[in-house]
Amino acid sequence: MQNLQPQRWRSTVVFANGRRIEVDELLPVQTIVADAKRAGATKVELENGTEIFLNEKGRQR
C-alpha cells in the first residue's frame, strides 16, 4: 500500500515584505511548506483556503 500525501495544484507562498509567489504544480503539501521555509516565507496559502503560518525561524506555528 502506498503512503499517500495530500497534493495541491495551486499554492501561494507569502513573504514578510508582502511579496507573493504563486506555484501551479501538483506537489505534496510537505514539499510546498519545506520549500517555503527554506526561502524564508511567513505563510503558505493552499488552493482549498488553508493557511499555514511560519514563524521567523521557518517553523510551523
Side-chain angles (χ1 to χ4, degrees):
M1 181 194 274
Q2 261 183 343
N3 183 11
L4 300 176
Q5 298 178 5
Q7 297 188 355
R8 297 286 175 239
W9 274 111
R10 179 169 295 153
S11 60
T12 304
V13 177
V14 182
F15 294 88
N17 64 2
R19 190 177 78 179
R20 301 168 67 85
I21 298 175
E22 297 207 9
V23 179
D24 290 328
E25 272 188 65
L26 182 61
L27 293 170
V29 173
Q30 292 86 346
T31 300
I32 296 167
V33 171
D35 290 346
K37 286 178 184 180
R38 282 194 290 274
T42 57
K43 179 170 75 168
V44 174
E45 299 171 351
L46 302 177
E47 67 183 350
N48 66 354
T50 301
E51 295 179 326
I52 301 170
F53 292 90
L54 307 170
N55 69 15
E56 63 279 351
K57 293 189 183 186
R59 292 194 203 113
Q60 197 170 334
R61 58 176 168 174

